[in-house]
Amino acid sequence: MKLGDVSVAFVELMRLAMSRLGHDATPMLQQFQLDDLKLASPDARISIPRFMRLGHACIEVSDKPWLGLEMGRQTKAPHLGLAGLLAMSAPNVRISCQALATYELLSSFNARGRSQFKLEQGCGVASFYSVSPYNAYNLFVVDSVLCGWYHFLQWVTGRTDLVKRIEFEFSAPSYVDEYQGYFQCPVHFEATRNAVVLHEWALEIPSLHACASTYEALRRSAERELEHVRLGLSYRETVARAIGPLLDGNTPTLEQVAHRLNTAPWTLRRRLSAEGHSFQEVLNTTRRDLAVSYVRDTTLTLGEIAFLLGFGSATAFQRAFKRWTGEAPGRFREEKRRSYISTASSTSSS
């Protein structure tokens, strides 16, 4: 299992933000082998680790660590794909937010979690999952998503007073003063989640672009696309996707995974058996694949990866990783990074 991927529409958004900040992103796109033909493909995706490395490269070149905030300010419906167009034509803010969360999978997939929209003491809360701890590679992603939702709702309604507060899990970054220029509401750092919290009264504010017939046509299309994605998954893959978000600090049980899939434990076991798999096998394979992705594609420490995958200690994780791959995780990471640097250098010089 990979960590996830996103539509190349988000790369287009990054290029637009770089332009607004006075920089040309073309050299970075070329380095990452992203040409206009690929960016024009409706089915093209970029892995989350590669997207984070691209964003980091753009930040280093521009010296603008608040790149994600600018991406958020430039976010419009087309950048969010079918979910964005559906949210734009929705009758009000509540249904717009529900559409963004419900159909997020059509433009992005994160193996460890997904965005959610729920009511909390009358207020609407749109929350975004991101792997912590935070660093130069993923801060901009959270900035872009929360700032994107904030400005998208402004654009959809023409209102600047809908949001009660913005919550970030990470500590105030070095560019904290920049947030004042992007948000006209309180911004809280070191929160328990990444979220946009809407005023209770804001939920029924109508969209300036509401159109009942267009909304219904887009909703039907989005449902078909979502069903197509689901039907394309084997039951083993469905179970693996349910396991991912449950791994933080714990090893999920069969009962917990069955509950997440809204099915009985015996049904889950029977359906896996029909495909020739067992729950323990799927659990072990999911942990192994995520472990390889974390070690290869992120800067997380081995202790942090061990926690994210439900191991009791870094030592236990290292033993398991060597059993899975034949190499210690530190050596595996170093070899993959040398290979990546060598490939990037040859690409940029050709």
Side-chain angles (χ1 to χ4, degrees), residues 30-44:
Q30 292 175 341
Q31 180 181 337
F32 282 77
Q33 300 178 326
L34 294 166
D35 56 23
D36 288 341
L37 182 62
K38 185 165 188 177
L39 294 181
S41 171
D43 301 317

Side-chain angles (χ1 to χ4, degrees), residues 168-179:
F168 290 97
E169 281 186 318
F170 50 79
S171 301
S174 60
Y175 54 94
V176 61
D177 292 343
E178 297 294 334
Y179 286 81

Side-chain angles (χ1 to χ4, degrees), residues 247-309:
L247 280 170
D248 283 7
N250 298 286
T251 300
T253 65
L254 172 68
E255 289 73 20
Q256 288 173 322
V257 176
H259 178 73
R260 188 174 182 87
L261 291 174
N262 195 30
T263 191
W266 68 268
T267 300
L268 187 151
R269 188 183 291 111
R270 176 179 58 79
R271 293 190 63 181
L272 282 178
S273 179
E275 291 186 358
H277 304 289
S278 70
F279 174 74
Q280 191 61 46
E281 173 203 339
V282 178
L283 174 61
N284 291 339
T285 301
T286 301
R287 291 172 104 183
R288 181 199 66 198
D289 293 348
L290 286 172
V292 169
S293 291
Y294 278 132
V295 172
R296 180 188 61 210
D297 299 324
T298 78
T299 59
L300 296 172
T301 67
L302 299 184
E304 290 161 348
I305 296 173
F307 176 80
L308 286 170
L309 296 179

